[in-house]
Amino acid sequence: GPWVHPEIDNPEYAPDPEIYRKDEVCAIGFDLWQVKAGTIFDNVLITDDPEHAKEFGEEVWRATLEGEKKMKESQDEEERKKREEEAKSSPKDDDEDEDEDEDDEAIEAGEAPETGEEDGD
C-alpha cells in the first residue's frame, strides 16, 4: 500500500513570520526573454519609493527616449529595405505557385500531377 512517512519532531525549528525579509540585497537576477534582438536593458532602478522612481525615470529615461526611438526607426527601415531587396532578387513566378497548387490538388485526389510535358516527348 501507500507509504506513510513518519513525522519526526525538529527541536531546532522555530517559525519565522518574516523569513522573506532581508536587510541587505546582495544580488539581483534578471531572466529576460526577448523575441527580437537589439533590446537594451540599462539604468535599472530598484526602489520602494514611487516618487523617487518617477524622478529617476524623468531624468534618465526621458533623456535617452528620443535617441533610442530614432535608432529603432532607422533599424526597422533598414530591415524593410533588406526584405524588399530580397523579394526583388528572388521573385517567384505566380504561374509556378498556381502549378504547385494544381499538383497538390491532383495528389490529394489520387491523380498524377502534370509534368508540363506532352505525351510522347
Side-chain angles (χ1 to χ4, degrees):
W3 177 74
V4 178
H5 67 282
E7 292 189 21
I8 302 170
D9 287 334
N10 181 354
E12 296 177 17
Y13 172 77
D16 184 358
E18 295 184 353
I19 195 166
Y20 61 89
R21 185 173 276 236
K22 300 289 181 192
D23 293 331
E24 181 180 340
V25 176
C26 299
I28 295 176
F30 290 98
D31 183 12
L32 303 172
W33 180 76
Q34 55 187 35
V35 175
K36 187 172 184 178
T39 305
I40 300 170
F41 295 93
D42 61 356
N43 298 324
V44 176
L45 172 69
I46 298 171
T47 182
D48 61 355
D49 183 353
E51 288 303 314
H52 177 66
K54 186 174 183 175
E55 290 171 12
F56 181 85
E58 291 299 322
E59 286 176 30
V60 177
W61 176 71
R62 285 268 182 229
T64 60
L65 175 65
E66 288 304 315
E68 289 179 357
K69 188 175 181 180
K70 287 178 184 176
M71 182 178 72
K72 170 77 169 107
E73 290 169 354
S74 173
Q75 289 174 341
D76 289 348
E77 182 66 18
E78 286 177 23
E79 287 180 22
R80 185 189 62 78
K81 288 179 181 177
K82 184 178 178 183
R83 284 192 306 269
E84 286 177 358
E85 288 298 318
E86 289 173 355
K88 287 179 184 177
S89 66
S90 62
K92 193 170 185 180
D93 265 352
D94 289 339
D95 293 341
E96 288 180 17
D97 289 342
E98 290 174 13
D99 291 345
E100 289 174 9
D101 291 342
E102 290 171 3
D103 290 347
D104 292 341
E105 290 171 7
I107 292 170
E108 288 175 7
E111 302 169 1
E114 293 183 23
T115 61
E117 297 176 3
E118 296 288 329
D119 287 339
D121 283 345

